[in-house]
Amino acid sequence: MTEWIADRFQTLGEGNADGPDSTNGPNMKAFESTRKALLSRPKFSIRLQIYISFVFSFTVILGFAIAQLAAMQMMKKKVVILDAANNALYEIQHALSFQNDFFLYGAGLDEALASLRRARSLLQNAVDSSRDIGDILGDLLAREKGYESMLKNRDSLEKQPYSAEKEAAIEKLDAEIRTEGKGTAIFGRELILREKKALQRMIGLSQNIHAYSLFSLLLIILFFTFLLTRRILARINRFVKYTQRIALGNYTLIIPARSYRDEFSDLAVAINRMIMELKLRQDILVQSHKLKAIGALTAGVAHELNNPLNNIMLTAHMFKEDYPNLSDEERQEMMEDVIHESERAKKIVSNLLDFARESHTVMAPLDIGGVIRETLDLAANQINLKGAHIDLRIESHLPVVNGDKQQLIQVFLNVIFNALDVTPKGGRIVVDVGPTKTAKFLTVKVTDFGPGIPDHVIPSIFDPFFTTKSKQGGTGLGLSVSQGIVAKHGGEISAYSEPNAGTTFTVALPAASPHGV
Amino acid sequence: MSKPMTILLLDDEPIVGKRLQPALAKEGYEVEVFQNSIEALTRIEEKEFDIVVTDIYMDEVDGIQILEKVHEKYPKTKVIVITGYAMMEMAREAMEKGAFDFIAKPFKPDDLRDAILKAVSSLRSESALQ
């Protein structure tokens, strides 16, 4: 039984220390593959195990019950024996009493014979009822018959005419009668004592059977409960770990961990299906969150675009208006301005389009310093509108990070916009990019000097739908989605804050290779 | 003929001043052009302009602040603000705080000339009443 329970065939996936899946995540082919792997093993369901334990328990208890019934049957016979022997002995005792009266007073022999007839009848009935009983009571019956025979002989001698031979015979017979009567009674008493002891042993045995039965039942219950509990709890614990890693953004599919399947295999298939759905919705959520960022950027971009457009408009109009009076040099300068401002407009638009385009996850080695600069370019107008100043510090020789540039820009925009929200006009935001001391992670720290986040709030800020800006129509999904993106990259976002001093958000991303840039 | 109207033009985009200064000058206006709002504020402290044209969105000191300072010091001065279509609420705020008019980027030179003409007419009407 233990062999079936053992968690054999632990797969590489279970012990994989590489962290989350760094590809696009599971796909339908992988899902079908794991589904077949999970369901194609021989079935040993928990229900089957319960049936087996029930049948086994029932069999054992049935055995004890049969033993108990057998013991009861034996005790029943002992009781019959004792009842008959006891009653017979009672009659024999009476017979002895009458016999003594006869010897003393010459009367009572008929009563003695009557008692003995009753004793014989009792014993004969018992002996006839069962061979087993006959084996035990047969001897007593024989002795009783012998004793009774002697009394009958004595009675017949009493009726014969007086003679010397008669007297001698009577004297001899009386002596034999006394001996046999006493012997029969003693024999009966000893038989009763013997059978009582046997009965008591049987009662003890029966009690033991009860005790053994209960104890065995307890052992069986404990054993099967332990096996079943361990099996179920082991599965549940593993599924808890699965849910924890899913919550961290690791969408690795569940693959077989044992050589057989059970109800939890069906659960694993269902969870794998859920993982597929979750990943799809996470992708949709990331994209919709990006669209929200684009919405914020677009308003700024529209304003930002007005400047080059206005410059082109003014220049074109004045070119047209003043053309006859302009020198060639002036005309040249104006056209140069138009070209320059057009290129400026183009850059603004293509930056936004580059960020806005829908794309699947494309993991590539990234220069995070460059990604940060690109993010700040995108957010430039928001920063200017806010009147904030960005203090950008990028260390040299940054490690390379494997990541999806668009998604990471989305994360950095989220963090920077949040910092802008709490930064007063003319305020400062520090963006610090550098490796950790071990160089295994690269961190991007965004520090504002706003009011800070209360301690009791910090644990909630990455929860979906959490926001302190509900009056402004926010969805509260920003940091939750960003955390999902960063987790998918094998990293983490953390926050540290001091009231009235400011907040630092740290985005840590695993370094692909140190000192790559 | 009365003295020429004085105009201060403030926009952090250099081309705006470069193009509009000659356009307004040939209409007979006396024009001073600024790109930095702090420098513009310093100049406003020194001289009363008839008309101030200012962009709203600028670093450090924005158009609203310019408007408030001008009104505080020279109540008669007409302030025309320049804004973007996407930021109409800022234009509304400027009007509530006493701006004479606003124009939205991108605009044609004639749009600004028309706004200035209206301001000049208004100024002359007010002068005639005194």
Side-chain angles (χ1 to χ4, degrees):
Chain A
M1 187 64 70
T2 303
E3 171 181 321
W4 285 98
I5 303 299
D7 285 345
R8 301 188 301 167
F9 304 102
Q10 285 286 342
T11 61
L12 293 180
E14 284 283 289
N16 189 353
D18 293 341
D21 192 341
S22 61
T23 66
N24 280 357
N27 52 43
M28 282 310 295
K29 186 176 179 181
F31 171 72
E32 280 303 319
S33 170
T34 55
R35 184 175 164 281
K36 284 182 180 133
L38 286 163
L39 296 182
S40 65
R41 297 166 294 169
K43 185 167 188 178
F44 176 55
S45 69
I46 287 172
R47 183 163 58 187
L48 175 61
Q49 181 175 334
I50 291 171
Y51 287 165
I52 289 172
S53 63
F54 268 123
V55 168
F56 183 82
S57 303
F58 180 77
T59 302
V60 170
I61 299 307
L62 182 64
F64 278 108
I66 290 172
Q68 184 72 6
L69 283 177
M72 295 288 289
Q73 197 65 20
M74 293 171 70
M75 286 189 287
K76 187 175 173 183
K77 287 178 180 177
K78 290 297 183 191
V79 168
V80 169
I81 288 167
L82 281 169
D83 193 45
N86 219 35
N87 290 338
L89 185 60
Y90 176 77
E91 297 294 352
I92 288 169
Q93 299 279 21
H94 267 80
L96 275 176
S97 181
F98 286 129
Q99 168 202 286
N100 288 338
D101 285 351
F102 173 74
F103 287 158
L104 288 174
Y105 310 114
L109 189 58
D110 289 340
E111 289 78 2
L113 282 170
S115 292
L116 287 180
R117 274 197 299 277
R118 285 194 291 273
R120 174 160 53 83
S121 176
L122 287 169
L123 290 175
Q124 191 67 55
N125 285 341
V127 165
D128 290 344
S129 71
S130 167
R131 180 197 302 251
D132 293 341
I133 296 179
D135 289 346
I136 294 172
L137 291 181
D139 290 346
L140 182 59
L141 179 61
R143 292 200 63 139
E144 185 280 332
K145 284 181 176 176
Y147 179 48
E148 186 176 358
S149 175
M150 288 179 180
L151 286 184
K152 285 178 179 174
N153 287 343
R154 180 67 174 85
D155 187 55
S156 64
L157 279 179
E158 189 68 14
K159 293 183 173 75
Q160 288 180 6
Y162 177 84
S163 69
E165 295 83 3
K166 172 186 170 182
E167 291 303 316
I170 286 175
E171 184 171 344
K172 180 186 176 189
L173 189 55
D174 283 355
E176 290 176 354
I177 286 171
R178 283 195 177 86
T179 302
E180 187 59 18
K182 188 178 297 182
T184 300
I186 290 171
F187 185 87
R189 261 198 303 280
E190 286 175 353
L191 182 145
I192 286 171
L193 284 178
R194 199 164 52 247
E195 290 306 307
K196 270 187 179 178
K197 284 195 177 79
L199 180 60
Q200 280 168 357
R201 279 200 306 278
M202 285 181 179
I203 289 172
L205 177 61
S206 177
Q207 287 174 338
N208 285 344
I209 289 175
H210 272 306
Y212 291 151
S213 174
L214 287 177
F215 185 66
S216 297
L217 184 59
L218 180 64
L219 280 186
I220 289 166
I221 288 173
L222 288 181
F223 177 72
F224 280 110
T225 301
F226 172 75
L227 284 187
L228 197 59
T229 301
R230 198 173 74 106
R231 181 175 169 186
I232 291 177
L233 287 185
R235 302 300 100 71
I236 289 177
N237 286 338
R238 188 179 315 118
F239 276 89
V240 167
K241 289 193 178 77
Y242 292 149
T243 60
Q244 284 166 351
R245 83 181 181 194
I246 292 167
L248 290 176
N250 180 349
Y251 294 139
T252 306
L253 293 172
I254 297 171
I255 50 185
R258 293 161 296 149
S259 62
Y260 58 90
R261 66 186 165 95
D262 59 15
E263 289 84 350
F264 284 101
S265 306
D266 300 330
L267 180 57
V269 171
I271 287 182
N272 279 350
R273 191 181 306 277
M274 184 190 76
I275 287 172
M276 299 294 294
E277 292 291 334
L278 274 179
K279 184 183 175 309
L280 176 62
R281 278 157 180 68
Q282 175 69 10
D283 291 345
I284 292 171
L285 193 58
V286 166
Q287 186 62 24
S288 73
H289 186 242
K290 180 199 270 189
L291 291 178
K292 179 174 176 289
I294 289 165
L297 290 174
T298 300
V301 163
H303 180 268
E304 193 176 350
L305 213 48
N306 270 339
N307 283 334
L309 286 177
N310 192 55
N311 294 340
I312 292 168
M313 177 92 85
L314 294 180
T315 303
H317 272 272
M318 297 314 297
F319 185 86
K320 180 182 173 186
E321 183 174 303
D322 291 346
Y323 185 81
N325 302 322
L326 295 169
S327 66
D328 281 351
E329 187 180 359
E330 284 172 323
R331 291 174 190 162
Q332 195 75 20
E333 184 196 354
M334 291 172 104
M335 286 301 103
E336 287 293 335
D337 283 343
V338 166
I339 290 169
H340 179 267
E341 294 300 307
S342 296
E343 286 178 348
R344 183 179 163 194
K346 176 190 172 188
K347 186 188 177 218
I348 292 168
V349 171
S350 53
N351 277 356
L352 181 61
L353 287 178
D354 190 41
F355 175 66
R357 76 169 189 276
E358 179 159 1
S359 64
H360 297 294
T361 301
V362 179
M363 302 301 251
L366 298 174
D367 162 29
I368 293 298
V371 174
I372 290 294
R373 289 192 186 89
E374 195 165 329
T375 304
L376 292 176
D377 281 346
L378 270 171
N381 201 74
Q382 265 71 16
I383 295 167
N384 291 335
L385 291 181
K386 192 71 185 186
H389 172 71
I390 302 291
D391 186 353
L392 178 60
R393 308 168 185 171
I394 300 181
E395 292 193 26
S396 56
H397 307 306
L398 292 177
V400 167
V401 167
N402 268 332
D404 178 296
K405 184 166 92 163
Q406 304 305 325
Q407 290 189 2
L408 290 180
I409 288 177
Q410 188 172 333
V411 169
F412 297 139
L413 276 177
N414 181 207
V415 175
I416 288 168
F417 282 164
N418 283 353
L420 283 174
D421 277 344
V422 297
T423 299
K425 186 173 176 63
R428 192 167 64 108
I429 294 171
V430 176
V431 178
D432 203 326
V433 185
T436 53
K437 289 179 180 176
T438 61
K440 289 184 178 176
F441 284 87
L442 177 141
T443 60
V444 177
K445 298 184 182 184
V446 177
T447 302
D448 66 67
F449 301 91
I453 301 173
D455 280 346
H456 69 277
V457 168
I458 286 192
S460 305
I461 59 180
F462 297 104
D463 292 347
F465 304 108
F466 173 85
T467 181
T468 58
K469 310 181 243 172
S470 54
K471 294 180 180 177
Q472 299 148 40
T475 60
L477 278 174
L479 283 174
S480 169
V481 172
S482 293
Q483 180 69 285
I485 292 171
V486 172
K488 190 172 166 183
H489 285 70
E492 168 184 65
I493 304 180
S494 57
Y496 172 79
S497 184
E498 285 189 29
N500 303 315
T503 304
T504 297
F505 276 87
T506 302
V507 178
L509 296 163
S513 63
H515 316 298
V517 180
Chain B
M1 184 174 183
S2 61
K3 66 179 175 61
M5 290 287 183
T6 56
I7 300 175
L8 181 145
L9 176 60
L10 168 61
D11 195 303
D12 53 0
E13 293 286 326
I15 287 180
V16 173
K18 197 185 338 180
R19 295 284 107 83
L20 292 178
Q21 197 276 339
L24 296 176
K26 72 183 183 182
E27 301 289 328
Y29 301 110
E30 182 182 315
V31 184
E32 294 190 32
V33 169
F34 293 89
Q35 292 168 34
N36 180 279
S37 50
I38 293 180
E39 292 173 12
L41 266 186
T42 302
R43 182 60 174 146
I44 285 169
E45 293 287 335
E46 297 166 357
K47 174 179 177 179
E48 178 178 6
F49 289 86
D50 295 308
I51 298 170
V52 170
V53 180
T54 178
D55 196 3
I56 286 187
Y57 291 111
M58 290 174 290
D59 294 341
E60 292 161 6
V61 179
D62 65 20
I64 300 293
Q65 289 169 289
I66 297 288
L67 167 63
E68 288 168 343
K69 173 61 70 177
V70 168
H71 258 278
E72 173 192 341
K73 201 171 172 64
Y74 311 113
K76 292 182 183 177
T77 300
K78 301 303 182 185
V79 180
I80 299 170
V81 297
I82 302 172
T83 184
Y85 287 117
M87 302 298 172
M88 277 305 169
E89 64 273 16
M90 291 298 283
R92 184 175 59 253
E93 181 185 348
M95 298 299 283
E96 287 168 1
K97 293 190 171 177
F100 176 76
D101 199 0
F102 74 90
I103 56 178
K105 285 184 176 180
F107 59 87
K108 303 188 292 291
D110 281 350
D111 295 333
L112 181 58
R113 288 186 185 123
D114 291 343
I116 291 177
L117 277 178
K118 280 191 273 181
V120 168
S121 295
S122 178
L123 282 169
R124 292 214 169 109
S125 298
E126 291 169 6
S127 294
L129 290 177
Q130 291 170 1

